[in-house]
Amino acid sequence: MDGNDIIPYIEPIFRFCYRRLNSRYDAQDLASEILCHILDGMGRYKIESLEAWVWRIAHNRYARFVEARRKRMELLSDQELTEADIDYRQIDEASVEDEFQPVFLCLHRLSSEYRNIFVDYYIGELSVKQLSRKYRLPETTVKWRLNVGRSKIREWIGEGEMEKVYQRINWNTTGCNGRMHSDRYLHTQIARAICQAAYEKPLTVEEISQCTGIPAMYIEDELPRLEYGDAVRKIGNKYAADFIIVRLEDRAKIESACASMIKEIADYYEEMLWGKEEALEGVGFYGCKAGMGYLGHAFLPYFIRKKIRDLKNGRLNLPDGDFPPRKDGGCGWFHIQETEDEREMAPDSGVGCSLYKNEEKGTEYYLCYYPITKYFNQRVFDIMGSLKKLGIGQTGSEGWIPEGVLQEDELLRVLEARVIRKEKDGYWLNFPCFTGEQFRKASELLCPEDQGLDDLLSDWILSVRKSFTKFVPQRLEDQINQWVSTYAHEIISYVTEELISRGRLERPDPEGNPICGIFGVYSGK
């Protein structure tokens, strides 16, 4: 005998309850209680006559139900009834699934503090006194939770919103400020649904379940992991997403603010960079004759990022602040962006900065890679650790790589990524490299103080921050400045595209040659 054997009795039991209680909600409550006891007993007892046993439970549970309501409502008639006595004509022909599925779904939406008591009371048949001892709660609290739980279920069923239409949440979860593995915590749809529901304001477990349609037990299982990853913050008995989500409509509003500035900024850098191209060759750094069409991909992001950082920290007093320590040992915040589709790709306009610094044998040197998402080269990014060993500190600005600096397997990887090239007289860097003094001279030449540019970029930064304050919940305001830096830097990609369209900058090819956006700086001590 299994659970399928009670299917023929489900509708008669509901009609039995409905006829006596004259309330669809009360009938659903009592019928679900009867069915729970039947299913529980089938696994524990040897049953000779299923029909007799089913109706005995129905009568007993109905009697208890009426007794429990005696002080609050008039007792209904408690007459003996068999299946043959039920008048099916008095009740509409509703399907079993339509009547009972909402009840069981609502039970799953209750948080554990209510759900566990419900299960023990109705299925385990524990008394209020026994529940009080088991959960170490006053009897009045147990009664209160039973009443509140029943009220919640009635309210939810009454809403008619139990049938949730699940839609995939498309987020890019690979970005962050600081040092952390953001995708570890937010890659699942359950985690995203919880955080999305609790983004605008803190919610209880039951409210999250109500918003998402996810059973409360699954939400309760996921929340400790989200709390540990600092993706969710607990506020009293409620939970709130602890990161900013840039939705597609939010991004569209921010982008509209920069449209008028792109050409002005591009005009400035076109005049500055190409107007000083000949003078730049006189600085004498390795790669100085490559042309501004190539070198501009390194200079442009460096100078714009530096300007934005200086303006935010100084003139505008909008510092990023420190990266907060995290429970998992990392630091920083999530950078979550809604995407157009399930590929969950970062926007093409996204920009990044990979900086590798090293000190060795009395020298200091660092490598910079400034990728734009549209032209991002994964192989270059993957070997940045190996690039530290390329001998920048040993070769100065000459670009030659001494034999033996790289092991054979490392050498092959770097060659495949085209960041070095092989010639008859050995291996050479395939990107510009400066001494500290050369880089200082190049910066002074190409990036002088300019009030007009400062005003233009300041307006851009303030417009971005104003846009963020309109859609970011107040509790997350301390994260806005870092997000503003990230988004303000995207002006780099827009200006780059503008200069490419003018024929000034080469169009990067992630699979072609040379590699754009890399440079190295070395200085002796």
Side-chain angles (χ1 to χ4, degrees):
M1 190 175 295
D2 58 36
N4 292 328
D5 294 328
I6 70 165
I7 291 178
Y9 296 97
I10 293 178
E11 189 171 351
I13 288 172
F14 173 73
R15 298 180 187 280
F16 167 81
C17 299
Y18 185 77
R19 180 177 178 182
R20 281 158 175 72
L21 301 179
N22 199 31
S23 165
R24 185 172 297 276
Y25 293 147
D26 287 344
Q28 288 173 338
D29 284 347
L30 178 57
S32 62
E33 182 181 329
I34 292 170
L35 289 169
C36 284
H37 279 276
I38 292 172
L39 288 169
D40 182 59
M42 289 177 69
R44 295 194 293 170
Y45 307 116
K46 183 178 180 181
I47 302 168
E48 295 182 359
S49 172
L50 179 60
E51 181 173 346
W53 188 67
V54 164
W55 291 110
R56 184 168 65 250
I57 289 179
H59 295 319
N60 291 340
R61 300 314 302 181
Y62 168 67
R64 287 186 57 173
F65 187 89
V66 171
E67 179 63 23
R69 294 182 51 192
R70 183 175 59 82
K71 295 181 180 180
R72 292 181 292 136
M73 61 182 294
E74 183 179 353
L75 284 172
L76 300 176
S77 174
D78 187 20
Q79 58 187 14
E80 283 293 325
L81 188 69
T82 64
E83 183 179 359
D85 294 323
I86 300 175
D87 186 355
Y88 288 89
R89 294 171 299 177
Q90 295 185 17
I91 305 174
D92 58 359
E93 296 295 331
S95 70
V96 173
E97 288 187 3
D98 289 344
E99 297 295 348
F100 291 101
Q101 189 177 19
V103 178
F104 290 105
L105 288 176
C106 283
L107 181 62
H108 286 299
R109 282 171 59 179
L110 286 174
S111 61
S112 57
E113 61 180 346
Y114 295 103
R115 185 178 64 249
N116 293 341
I117 288 176
F118 256 62
V119 172
D120 285 342
Y121 181 74
Y122 288 114
I123 296 180
E125 298 187 342
L126 297 183
S127 66
V128 170
K129 184 174 292 187
Q130 290 172 316
L131 290 171
S132 175
R133 288 198 298 266
K134 178 176 179 178
Y135 293 102
R136 298 179 181 178
L137 295 170
E139 291 184 20
T140 53
T141 301
V142 173
K143 293 177 181 177
W144 180 80
R145 289 188 181 179
L146 287 170
N147 287 332
V148 169
R150 290 175 66 85
S151 297
K152 287 177 182 288
I153 290 178
R154 278 198 191 89
E155 179 183 349
W156 291 334
I157 293 177
E159 292 171 357
E161 295 180 355
M162 289 302 299
E163 293 290 338
K164 292 291 180 182
V165 178
Y166 294 96
Q167 293 184 341
R168 194 178 194 281
I169 299 173
N170 296 317
W171 285 353
N172 180 276
T173 59
T174 59
C176 67
N177 267 334
R179 178 176 57 83
M180 56 185 291
H181 185 354
S182 58
D183 194 47
R184 175 185 301 167
Y185 301 104
L186 295 174
H187 69 282
T188 69
Q189 288 294 308
I190 288 182
R192 294 179 185 183
I194 292 170
C195 293
Q196 181 174 263
Y199 179 64
E200 296 295 344
K201 63 179 182 179
L203 299 177
T204 64
V205 170
E206 290 158 358
E207 289 169 335
I208 295 173
S209 178
Q210 182 178 351
C211 289
T212 62
I214 299 172
M217 66 179 73
Y218 299 144
I219 295 172
E220 290 169 328
D221 284 345
E222 187 72 15
L223 282 171
R225 192 176 70 88
L226 292 174
E227 284 189 87
Y228 178 71
D230 290 299
V232 162
R233 181 195 314 175
K234 189 172 185 181
I235 305 173
N237 70 330
K238 297 186 176 184
Y239 298 87
D242 204 19
F243 55 86
I244 292 173
I245 303 171
V246 177
R247 294 161 293 202
L248 291 174
E249 61 265 30
D250 301 326
R251 169 172 280 277
K253 292 174 184 177
I254 301 173
E255 287 176 345
S256 65
C258 75
S260 62
M261 302 181 185
I262 293 172
K263 289 190 176 181
E264 292 183 69
I265 297 174
D267 289 343
Y268 172 86
Y269 280 106
E270 181 177 15
E271 180 181 354
M272 182 58 62
L273 297 181
W274 278 265
K276 302 290 181 66
E277 189 172 15
E278 186 175 341
L280 184 66
E281 288 190 25
V283 175
F285 60 91
Y286 175 74
C288 63
K289 296 183 179 181
M292 195 57 70
Y294 169 68
L295 296 174
H297 284 289
F299 287 129
L300 188 67
Y302 174 80
F303 292 143
I304 293 181
R305 292 178 75 98
K306 184 177 184 301
K307 274 289 186 183
I308 290 174
R309 182 180 65 249
D310 292 345
L311 290 170
K312 284 182 79 265
N313 292 338
R315 174 175 173 175
L316 301 178
N317 192 26
L318 297 174
D320 288 353
D322 297 329
F323 298 142
R326 299 168 50 80
K327 298 183 186 71
D328 62 2
C331 63
W333 284 301
F334 296 92
H335 271 194
I336 306 304
Q337 301 187 69
E338 184 182 11
T339 64
E340 293 281 359
D341 52 46
E342 62 186 20
R343 292 178 300 167
E344 299 183 350
M345 301 294 291
D348 281 350
S349 58
V351 298
C353 173
S354 295
L355 175 64
Y356 284 76
K357 184 177 181 179
N358 203 357
E359 297 182 18
E360 184 178 322
K361 298 179 180 179
T363 63
E364 179 181 74
Y365 57 96
Y366 63 86
L367 289 165
C368 284
Y369 176 36
Y370 290 117
I372 295 175
T373 300
K374 185 175 182 179
Y375 306 115
F376 178 68
N377 189 306
Q378 185 66 50
R379 285 188 294 183
V380 172
F381 181 78
D382 290 341
I383 65 170
M384 286 299 288
S386 296
L387 296 185
K388 290 192 302 182
K389 305 175 183 178
L390 280 176
I392 295 175
Q394 301 172 38
T395 62
S397 60
E398 299 302 318
W400 175 69
I401 303 170
E403 187 175 347
V405 170
L406 291 175
Q407 298 297 322
E408 184 175 353
D409 57 340
E410 290 179 323
L411 183 62
L412 289 175
R413 291 176 62 218
V414 175
L415 280 170
E416 288 176 357
R418 301 178 308 284
V419 296
I420 65 173
R421 65 180 184 275
K422 184 178 182 181
E423 297 186 0
K424 293 181 180 180
D425 54 351
Y427 296 99
W428 295 81
L429 299 178
N430 213 19
F431 54 84
C433 184
F434 305 78
T435 65
E437 180 63 18
Q438 289 168 342
F439 192 74
R440 183 186 63 78
K441 288 181 179 179
S443 298
E444 291 176 352
L445 180 67
L446 300 176
C447 191
E449 293 296 323
D450 187 282
Q451 187 64 39
L453 179 64
D454 289 354
D455 292 343
L456 199 59
L457 286 175
S458 293
D459 288 344
W460 161 238
I461 294 166
L462 291 175
S463 70
V464 171
R465 196 180 197 288
K466 184 177 180 181
S467 296
F468 270 86
T469 57
K470 290 180 179 179
F471 67 78
V472 172
Q474 188 174 2
R475 70 177 186 278
L476 300 173
E477 282 190 353
D478 60 346
Q479 299 184 25
I480 290 180
N481 283 354
Q482 287 202 19
W483 246 115
V484 168
S485 292
T486 298
Y487 199 90
H489 291 154
E490 291 195 13
I491 198 74
I492 295 168
S493 65
Y494 300 130
V495 173
T496 298
E497 285 298 321
E498 177 65 21
L499 292 174
I500 289 174
S501 70
R502 297 181 186 183
R504 287 300 200 173
L505 285 175
E506 298 176 13
R507 184 174 297 278
D509 179 2
E511 300 302 322
N513 218 3
I515 301 302
C516 294
I518 297 182
F519 67 89
V521 179
Y522 134 85
S523 61
K525 289 187 177 180

